[in-house]
Amino acid sequence: MHEWALAESVVLTVLRVAEERNAARVLRVRIKLGELQQVEEEIFSTALRELSKNTPAEDAEFSLAREPAVLKCNRCSHEWKVERDKLKPEEAELIHFLPEAAHTYLRCPRCGSPDFAIESGRGVWIESVELG
Amino acid sequence: MHEWALAESVVLTVLRVAEERNAARVLRVRIKLGELQQVEEEIFSTALRELSKNTPAEDAEFSLAREPAVLKCNRCSHEWKVERDKLKPEEAELIHFLPEAAHTYLRCPRCGSPDFAIESGRGVWIESVELG
Amino acid sequence: MREAEKQLSGVRRVVCVGSGKGGVGKSLVSATAALLLSQRSRRVGLLDLDFYGPSAHLILGAWDLMPTEDRGVVPPEIHGVRLMSIAPYIGEGPSALRGSDATHAMLELLAITRWGELDLLLVDMPPGTGDEILDVVKFIPAAEWLVVSTPSKLSIQTVRRLLLLLRETGSKIMGAIENMAEGEACVEEFCRAEGVQFLGSVPRDPKVERAIGRPELLLRTEFARRLEAIVRKLK
Amino acid sequence: MREAEKQLSGVRRVVCVGSGKGGVGKSLVSATAALLLSQRSRRVGLLDLDFYGPSAHLILGAWDLMPTEDRGVVPPEIHGVRLMSIAPYIGEGPSALRGSDATHAMLELLAITRWGELDLLLVDMPPGTGDEILDVVKFIPAAEWLVVSTPSKLSIQTVRRLLLLLRETGSKIMGAIENMAEGEACVEEFCRAEGVQFLGSVPRDPKVERAIGRPELLLRTEFARRLEAIVRKLK
Ligand SMILES: Nc1ncnc2c1ncn2[C@@H]1O[C@H](COP(=O)(O)OP(=O)(O)O)[C@@H](O)[C@H]1O
Ligand SMILES: Nc1ncnc2c1ncn2[C@@H]1O[C@H](COP(=O)(O)OP(=O)(O)O)[C@@H](O)[C@H]1O
Ligand SMILES: [Mg+2]
Ligand SMILES: [Mg+2]
Ligand SMILES: [Mg+2]
Ligand SMILES: [Mg+2]
Ligand code: NI
Ligand code: NI
Ligand SMILES: [Zn+2]
Ligand SMILES: [Zn+2]
C-alpha cells in the first residue's frame, strides 16, 4: 500500500511538467516499474487514477511497463538479472520499500560482492509525458 | 614532473591490455589529456617513451589529444567549461595534482554550488590501443 | 520525480543535526532533542540519514519497530517521536552503499514517509560532507542546520569545512553546540571567529551509555538536562 | 588505468585502520601507530583516506608540508612517517565530494604517490562502509584490516556491519582494538562473539588533546604507551 506514495510522486512530477510547459491537459504518461521494487500494479494504477482526479492529468492514460532488474558488480563487472522468485519473501518485502536494501541481501552470483550497481529496474520511473 | 607517474599508469595499462590479448607489439595508443588536470605534454611524452623502452610498447605511437573540461552542476544543472586562464595559478597547480580539488576551488558560475560533476576532461584517459 | 516536498508539506521546520566529524554526538543530540521536544508537546519527527551507522533506533530503543504501510509509510512513534530510518530495512546487516545509492535511498525515504503534521523534523546526519549533505542542501533547501562539535582540534577543523559548505550553498545555520565539553571554551571561541551563534555546551556524561535504548533514563541524565536548556532556546 | 599496484609494489604490507563508526579514534590510532613503528625502525607510510575530515596531518603537526614532485609525488616525511593526504591539496577549504569523486581522488593518490620501500603502509579510513571502503577492498585486495571500536553500543553495532562486509568480501581482518576503554570489556566480548581477534584496550587519555600536532608529546602519553603494547604484537 505504499504504492500510493509512489503514485503521488509520479502525479506530482507529471503535474509539474504540465505546468512548466503550460499544458492544459496531460494525455498520456508512460511509466516503468522496476522489477527490483515489485510495485503492485493494480494498487498503483488505482492510486494514479484517484490522485489525478480534478487535475490536468484526470483523463490521462497511464501505461505501465515492467523493466527487468539488472545488477552489475562493481568488483568483477559481472552483470545479472534478479530473479524475482529466487528472493526470500521477507527480503523481497524490504527491498520493495527500499530498493537499496538490495545491497544488504543480494550478492554478485560470481564473486559474492555486495558492491554492485543497480543498472536498471530499480524503482518507479516516468519514461515520457504527452501533453495536450 | 608527476607526469611520470601518470605516464607510468598509462604504460602499465597498455602492457596489461597487450598481454591479455596475447599481442606481441603495441602499434598505437590514443590518449586524452583532460584540460582540468593540465598535464604537461612534453614531459608526459618523454615519460611515455622512456617507460615503454624494452617493452612491447617500445615502438608504439602515442598520440595525445586535449579534451576540454566540462563541469555540470548537480544543483541547477548548468553546464560550463573550465577556462584555463581564469584559474588562479596556485589553484590550478593543486587541481593539476588532484582534479577533485576542483570541488574546493571552483564553483558553478550560475548558482555558486561546489556540488558539480566533472563530465569530461578530468584527467588522463586511454581512448584506444592498437595491437600488432 | 520522488519529490520531498509533498511529504514534508505538513512539516513546519526541518532541522539537520550535522557536523562533518563523526562521533561528536550528532545522533545522541538529535534523538535526545527529539525526546525533549516531544515532552514539551511538540509534534516531532526524527529522520536518521546515517545509512552506514544508523543509531536513532538504538538510542530510542526502537530496534524492532517497523513503519506501517498506509498510503505510504507511516513512521512508528516512540515516546511521541515519529522515527524513520534505514534500520528497519537493513536490520543488522552490512550496508554497502556507494554515494549514488545513498542519494537514491534518501529520496526514496523522503518520497514514501508520511510525516503528517509536525512542528519539527530533526534530521540526524552522517559524518562527512558528501552525498547526503549535498542532497539535503539540494532537495530540502529550507533545512536549517544545527552543528555539533566536540572541543577537539580534530573536530573543529572538520566542522569548519562543513560550515564553509553550508555558507556557500546559502543554507541557514542556526548555531553550534559543544558536546563532550571539557573545561576550555574551544567551540565558543571558534563560533565567535566564524560568526556562528554559539548555542551552549553539554558535558561528557558517563551515565549516557547505560541510557542508550532507554529513553526515560536518557531524559533523566545530566546530558539531557543540559541539552534541554539549549533546545528551549530553539523554541 | 591508474593502477595502485605499481606504486605499492615496494610496500610489504598494507594495514587499513577502519571502524565504520566515526570518532572512535581511527586517526589517532593510525597516526600514533605509525609514529611508534617508525621509532622501532620500521619504514612506515600513512595514507589518510578521509577526504572530508583529514586528520593525520593535524595529529602529526604537518599542516604545511607539501609532497614534492619527482617522477610522481613523494610524500613528505615527518618523524620518519611518509604521509599522504588530501589535505595539502584542499587546504582548509570545504570538501564537497560525491562518492564517485572520492573514488577518483583515491585512485589518483594511489597512482601518483611514490611510497618507495615500506615495511608497512597504514591507511586511515573514513567512517561509513561506502565508496572508500568498497574501493580499498576492490583495488587493494591484499589490505589487512585493523578495526577500532569504543565500548559504546552505538560503535559496536556499526563495527559489526563493517566486519560483515569485510568477511563477505574475503578481506583479511587482523583484529580489533578497543579505544577509549571504560571499565567493562565490551569490545573483547564482542570480538569473542564475532570470532575476531581482540588485540587489546587503550584507555581514554585526557592528555591526548594537548598532544595533537606534537608527535614527541603524543609518543609520551599513556595512550601511546598502551598502544605500543598492541602495535608490538603486530610485529
Ligand atoms: N555528552 C556525552 N556524554 C557521554 N557520551 C556521549 C556524549 N555524547 C555522545 N556520547 C557518546 O559518544 C559516541 C558518539 O555519539 P554519537 O551520537 O553516536 O555521535 P555521531 O552521531 O556524531 O557519530 C556514542 O557512543 C555516544 O553514546
Ligand atoms: N584514547 C583516547 N583518549 C582521549 N581522546 C581520544 C582517544 N582516542 C581518540 N581521542 C579523541 O577522540 C576524537 C576522535 O578521534 P579520531 O582519531 O579523530 O577518530 P576517527 O578518526 O575515528 O574519527 C578526537 O578528538 C581524538 O583526539
Ligand atoms: Mg550500488
Ligand atoms: Mg562531483
Ligand atoms: Mg550518528
Ligand atoms: Mg579520522
Ligand atoms: Ni507497498
Ligand atoms: Ni605535474
Ligand atoms: Zn562480482
Ligand atoms: Zn549551479
Side-chain angles (χ1 to χ4, degrees), chain A residues 1-6 8-9 12-13 16 37 74 94 97-98 100 103-105 107 115 122 124 126, chain C residues 1-3 5-7 69 71-73 86 88-90 93-94 96-98 101 104-105 108 111-112:
Chain A
M1 287 292 285
H2 92 296
E3 275 71 1
W4 278 83
L6 299 174
E8 204 150 27
S9 282
L12 271 175
T13 306
R16 163 159 320 163
Q37 192 157 28
N74 286 323
L94 297 169
F97 284 106
L98 192 66
E100 278 61 46
H103 294 276
T104 298
Y105 305 113
R107 294 297 173 257
D115 177 20
R122 180 193 167 281
V124 176
I126 299 176
Chain C
M1 232 192 81
R2 318 203 159 270
E3 321 281 321
E5 305 141 54
K6 180 64 201 310
Q7 303 289 15
E69 207 174 349
R71 293 195 157 223
V73 164
I86 199 179
Y89 305 111
I90 66 167
L97 306 184
R98 285 185 175 268
D101 300 316
H104 278 128
E108 193 78 34
I112 65 177

Side-chain angles (χ1 to χ4, degrees), chain C:
Chain C
M1 232 192 81
R2 318 203 159 270
E3 321 281 321
E5 305 141 54
K6 180 64 201 310
Q7 303 289 15
L8 294 179
S9 64
V11 176
R12 288 179 45 203
R13 204 171 172 188
V14 177
V15 174
C16 294
V17 179
S19 172
K21 180 72 185 161
V24 296
K26 294 178 292 297
S27 296
L28 201 65
V29 164
S30 51
T32 310
L35 289 169
L36 289 166
L37 286 160
S38 152
Q39 273 203 324
R40 300 164 66 86
S41 312
R42 295 297 147 87
R43 295 164 302 176
V44 188
L46 179 56
L47 172 61
D48 189 343
L49 286 187
D50 189 340
F51 298 140
Y52 305 106
S55 302
H57 66 296
L58 296 173
I59 299 172
L60 297 180
W63 303 276
D64 41 17
L65 284 186
M66 281 300 286
T68 52
E69 207 174 349
D70 176 19
R71 293 195 157 223
V73 164
V74 180
E77 203 170 299
I78 176 142
H79 281 262
V81 176
R82 296 177 212 169
L83 173 66
M84 198 64 184
S85 160
I86 199 179
Y89 305 111
I90 66 167
E92 297 195 304
S95 184
L97 306 184
R98 285 185 175 268
S100 56
D101 300 316
T103 297
H104 278 128
M106 173 177 150
L107 289 175
E108 193 78 34
L109 290 182
L110 288 173
I112 65 177
T113 308
R114 291 183 54 198
W115 293 106
E117 299 284 318
L118 288 182
D119 295 308
L120 196 86
L121 175 62
L122 282 159
V123 184
D124 183 8
M125 298 300 298
T129 46
D131 294 86
E132 299 89 338
I133 313 294
L134 298 171
D135 285 327
V136 166
V137 164
K138 176 177 177 179
F139 295 110
I140 319 180
E144 301 168 62
W145 291 77
L146 194 62
V147 172
V148 181
S149 184
T150 71
S152 171
K153 292 179 207 65
L154 298 184
S155 171
I156 287 175
Q157 168 90 354
T158 299
V159 168
R160 179 182 287 127
R161 295 188 202 272
L162 174 67
L163 288 177
L164 287 169
L165 181 61
L166 293 176
R167 283 242 176 79
E168 286 205 86
T169 53
S171 305
K172 184 169 173 197
I173 300 164
M174 296 173 66
I177 296 180
E178 179 177 53
N179 187 22
M180 312 199 218
E182 210 95 74
E184 289 171 78
C186 308
V187 176
E188 186 167 8
E189 208 173 286
F190 166 69
C191 282
R192 225 182 340 258
E194 295 289 321
V196 165
Q197 202 190 343
F198 177 65
L199 297 167
S201 258
V202 180
R204 174 185 306 284
D205 176 356
K207 298 240 173 76
V208 155
E209 182 59 32
R210 271 196 57 231
I212 284 170
R214 299 151 87 182
E216 318 82 353
L217 216 60
L218 183 57
L219 281 169
R220 273 183 268 124
T221 57
E222 173 70 7
F223 169 79
R225 209 181 57 71
R226 293 286 291 276
L227 188 62
E228 164 123 68
I230 294 172
V231 166
R232 207 180 301 139
K233 285 192 222 166
L234 311 178
K235 327 184 279 77

